[in-house]
Amino acid sequence: MKIKHTILLVAFILCAGILKAQQPENILAAVGTPPNPKVQVSWNRYNDHAAITDICKKLAAAHPNLVKLESMGKSFKGKELWVMTITDSKVGSGDKKPAMYIDGNIHSNEIQGSEFALYTAWYLAEMYASGNKAIMSLLADKTFYIAPTINPDARDNFIHQANTAHSPRTGLIPIDNDRDGTTNEDGFDDLDNDGQIVMMRRKSVTGRYKVDPTDNRRMILVSGEEKGEYELLGSEGIDNDGDGFVNEDGEGAYDPNRDWGWNWQPNYIQGGAYKYPFSIPENRAIVDFVMKHPNIAAAQSYHNNGGMILRGPGALEDLDTYNALDIRVYDALGKKGEEMLPGYKYLVVYKDLYSVFGGELDWFYGGRGIYTFSNELWTGYSMYNKTDGEDSQTQLYTFDKDLLMKDAFVDWHPFKHPTYGDIEIGGFKKTYTRLHPGFLLESDAHRNMAFSVYHAYNTPKLSVGEIEVKDIGGLTQVTAIINNERMIPTHSSQDVKNNIETPDIISLTGGTVVAGMIVTNRDMNFTVEQNRDPANIKVQNIPGNSFVTVRWLVKGGSKFTVNVSSKKGGLASKSN
């Protein structure tokens, strides 16, 4: 018993030493990092919906003046669709500030989008709490709406069930893919119960594959008259429904990124489309949230993979929607993104990838006039920081061996298959090829966070500049300049063209307004009068990095106040 007590005492002393080493006074914070975060999160792993919920709730509890947590609605299976509102609530109401909307994980196997969105929320809150002036200024001016996962049902399926890196890509509403009258009866089968769905191979005299002599994990296609040793049989599985096919009818088959009400097409034209636009409950909840928050001026959706900063249009048929003025804004943001995200390329969906009808990206811009990017996270460039062969199969094997200690591969091992007989099972785990290895996850999360912050920073920032008051004989002429100090206008050209959002209102108080006008050329005294409600001048747009000039003719008064109200530009006020 004495020995046992001694061991416990030693353990206590060691633990006490460890705890002391973790105290703030014992830590030298790296630059650009919260020095002593209230919410401790490890950013080298992936979180299921329960863990995401826990992190969101902890952030809201630890930073009540910054983070508000609410649910946009429920998923098909009843999970909460969490969204965090992040802003300095002591400096104005969040719904009156220009806002950035961020979501991730619309495709269920593209899970790191949730970690990137969560990291953004965590970083903003913790850096504000640490006294970082740049973040404090940002959250005084802007609002962030961050929805970590918008496909939580299938996310949990990917994390907790045996899957490949590519399944399930979709949601979990049951669909009969093979049209045999039943759903979900022939999905993947974890034959050896190791939690991984990898590949099946068997020896065959007619096989077209052989083992790579430089790496016995890899199968390579033979050429010419060379004889192969193996045939590949696809992913692990059996023919559950006896129709002669394996793995063709898993859980869900609709694509939630083909469900949006902009250039939507039915399934026979756009594979993956569901019943009608916004027929998927998760997307319907997002649309309702966005419509209730007209202050959203910028948006970011996180996908994987390939290292891309994508903008629309998704299809050639929609090319005219993206006009030159808006493309200038997109180009400026996208090119900056290429600098901030090594290995990423700024691309256009339809031109550089493929056609997408009914995509989230296009609805946000086309339907709401919001400047929106979709980042395809993870690029092979990050493996060795070089572009040569960045997507090659060879690099996947060497990187796993050199830097991951072969943790990404399930070694080939024998199995008796009920249909194929003696086979071998092996291959890359589901957490490789599309997803970040742990040690690279936080680095890329930080860079993508910074790009989103840059985007949000460049949403409109309005101020009232010069106010000129001039006596013109019986009346007072008040002229005011309204500045937009950022790149993004208060209304995109798509917004102006389609009258999506209400005009900006520039108001004057302090006297009886008898006339109000927009000044189109101050030097030449050219104006356009607004005949109705002259005290509240309606302006279609305040351009980015520019200004508008307005004027009133007023009876009485000498002290005037100019107020500006813009849905996407926020509020501004000044008195003479």
Side-chain angles (χ1 to χ4, degrees):
M1 182 66 71
K2 185 176 181 180
I3 293 174
K4 184 178 179 181
H5 286 163
T6 303
I7 293 172
L8 288 173
L9 179 61
V10 170
F12 176 79
I13 293 170
L14 288 173
C15 288
I18 293 170
L19 289 172
K20 184 177 181 181
Q22 294 174 337
Q23 296 304 306
E25 62 268 20
N26 300 118
I27 295 171
L28 175 63
V31 294
T33 302
N36 187 30
K38 296 180 180 180
V39 180
Q40 297 285 339
V41 184
S42 295
W43 297 110
N44 61 353
R45 63 197 66 181
Y46 296 101
N47 299 277
D48 68 4
H49 184 258
I52 287 172
T53 299
D54 183 59
I55 294 170
C56 290
K57 288 183 175 180
K58 285 179 177 177
L59 284 171
H63 305 280
N65 292 324
L66 293 175
V67 182
K68 183 184 76 171
L69 179 64
E70 62 183 308
S71 175
M72 293 189 288
K74 292 185 183 294
S75 69
F76 175 71
K77 290 193 172 184
K79 290 184 173 66
E80 300 290 354
L81 300 171
W82 298 117
V83 59
M84 287 174 281
T85 299
I86 302 178
T87 191
D88 187 345
S89 60
K90 300 190 302 295
V91 186
S93 175
D95 60 0
K96 301 298 183 183
K97 302 176 185 179
M100 174 94 188
Y101 170 86
I102 300 173
D103 69 31
N105 193 207
I106 190 171
H107 289 138
S108 52
N109 63 320
E110 301 179 2
I111 61 173
Q112 68 264 64
S114 295
E115 273 62 43
F116 283 38
L118 269 178
Y119 180 87
T120 303
W122 174 84
Y123 189 87
L124 291 172
E126 298 295 351
M127 285 297 276
Y128 179 101
S130 74
N132 182 274
K133 292 181 179 178
I135 297 299
M136 293 176 75
S137 175
L138 180 76
L139 295 182
D141 291 342
K142 314 292 183 184
T143 298
F144 287 79
Y145 300 120
I146 299 179
T149 175
I150 57 174
N151 193 352
D153 297 339
R155 176 186 183 84
D156 276 7
N157 179 285
F158 178 84
I159 289 175
H160 293 296
Q161 304 301 318
N163 281 291
T164 71
H166 312 291
S167 69
R169 172 180 168 82
T170 58
L172 294 186
I173 296 177
I175 293 179
D176 180 15
N177 298 319
D178 57 1
R179 301 180 182 179
D180 65 353
T182 56
T183 61
N184 303 347
E185 85 284 12
D186 197 16
F188 295 112
D189 300 279
D190 185 8
L191 300 180
D192 54 359
N193 297 312
D194 67 348
Q196 302 291 336
I197 297 295
V198 287
M199 298 297 293
M200 301 184 294
R201 73 181 185 185
R202 71 178 172 185
K203 290 199 172 186
S204 172
V205 295
T206 60
R208 299 298 299 155
Y209 289 86
K210 68 177 183 180
V211 175
D212 185 344
T214 67
D215 189 334
N216 62 11
R217 300 174 300 165
R218 184 183 178 196
M219 304 299 296
I220 55 177
L221 186 66
V222 298
S223 59
E225 297 181 358
E226 185 180 8
K227 289 187 176 181
E229 306 171 73
Y230 290 91
E231 63 175 319
L232 295 182
L233 302 170
S235 299
E236 266 183 88
I238 60 176
D239 179 16
N240 303 83
D241 56 358
D243 64 356
F245 297 96
V246 175
N247 300 336
E248 90 284 11
D249 196 16
E251 282 196 279
Y254 70 84
D255 188 331
N257 200 37
R258 306 294 186 270
D259 177 63
W260 298 76
W262 186 267
N263 207 0
W264 182 90
Q265 299 293 332
N267 187 64
Y268 67 87
I269 295 175
Q270 173 62 79
Y274 198 42
K275 298 176 181 177
Y276 46 83
F278 307 130
S279 56
I280 296 169
E282 293 88 343
N283 292 351
R284 180 73 257 174
I286 297 164
V287 169
D288 290 344
F289 180 85
V290 172
M291 296 299 290
K292 292 174 184 175
H293 295 83
N295 58 322
I296 297 173
Q300 174 71 60
S301 182
Y302 287 128
H303 294 238
N304 81 31
N305 68 327
M308 291 174 271
I309 305 164
L310 297 176
R311 72 159 173 88
L316 177 62
E317 293 85 340
D318 209 22
L319 183 60
D320 290 344
T321 302
Y322 288 72
N323 58 66
L325 289 175
D326 287 348
I327 289 174
R328 286 176 61 187
V329 175
Y330 271 113
D331 287 351
L333 294 168
K335 292 299 182 183
K336 184 64 176 179
E338 287 186 330
E339 294 178 14
M340 301 173 77
L341 301 166
Y344 282 64
K345 299 297 181 184
Y346 166 56
L347 303 171
V348 179
V349 175
Y350 89 91
K351 185 171 68 174
D352 298 306
L353 294 178
Y354 42 73
S355 292
V356 172
F357 298 96
E360 179 186 19
L361 180 69
D362 284 323
W363 178 80
F364 264 82
Y365 173 73
R368 298 303 302 153
I370 297 167
Y371 294 96
T372 306
F373 289 99
S374 175
N375 284 14
E376 298 285 352
L377 307 171
W378 176 244
T379 166
Y381 176 88
S382 298
M383 290 182 174
Y384 294 104
N385 291 341
K386 62 181 183 180
T387 56
D388 294 340
E390 66 176 87
D391 294 320
S392 71
Q393 282 290 311
T394 301
Q395 184 167 260
L396 290 172
Y397 287 89
T398 58
F399 182 79
D400 178 37
K401 176 174 64 71
D402 292 345
L403 287 113
L404 305 180
M405 315 309 153
K406 296 186 177 181
D407 188 46
F409 197 91
V410 176
D411 289 331
W412 293 103
H413 53 283
F415 184 81
K416 179 71 75 171
H417 195 280
T419 303
Y420 300 135
D422 290 325
I423 67 168
E424 293 176 73
I425 302 172
F428 287 125
K429 297 176 180 178
K430 67 183 178 183
T431 46
Y432 194 50
T433 71
R434 295 178 70 99
L435 299 177
H436 293 71
F439 79 100
L440 291 174
L441 188 62
E442 182 170 357
S443 173
D444 204 19
H446 185 91
R447 288 183 178 275
N448 276 272
M449 173 279 299
F451 174 61
S452 290
V453 165
Y454 179 78
H455 190 176
Y457 172 84
N458 276 290
T459 57
K461 181 176 174 61
L462 303 182
S463 63
V464 181
E466 175 193 359
I467 300 177
E468 179 193 65
V469 178
K470 183 188 294 185
D471 185 351
I472 56 171
L475 293 174
T476 302
Q477 176 180 285
V478 181
T479 304
I481 294 177
I482 313 304
N483 299 303
N484 182 356
E485 302 170 24
R486 299 290 186 264
M487 183 193 307
I488 294 176
T490 56
H491 297 73
S492 64
S493 296
Q494 171 70 359
D495 183 341
V496 172
K497 180 172 63 176
N498 293 282
N499 296 312
I500 295 172
E501 197 47 76
T502 57
D504 304 324
I505 306 295
I506 306 172
S507 305
L508 186 74
T509 60
T512 302
V513 176
V514 296
M517 60 208 77
I518 298 173
V519 180
T520 57
N521 187 318
R522 193 172 179 181
D523 294 322
M524 300 298 295
N525 202 31
F526 291 165
T527 62
V528 176
E529 185 176 359
Q530 177 179 298
N531 292 319
R532 295 183 178 179
D533 192 16
N536 300 296
I537 299 174
K538 296 178 177 64
V539 177
Q540 272 198 320
N541 183 38
I542 305 174
N545 294 324
S546 190
F547 63 91
V548 297
T549 305
V550 292
R551 178 174 293 161
W552 297 270
L553 301 181
V554 186
K555 283 184 178 179
S558 59
K559 185 72 173 180
F560 303 101
T561 299
V562 177
N563 294 296
V564 186
S565 177
S566 170
K567 295 293 187 183
K568 290 183 171 66
L571 307 175
S573 182
K574 185 179 179 180
S575 300
N576 66 324

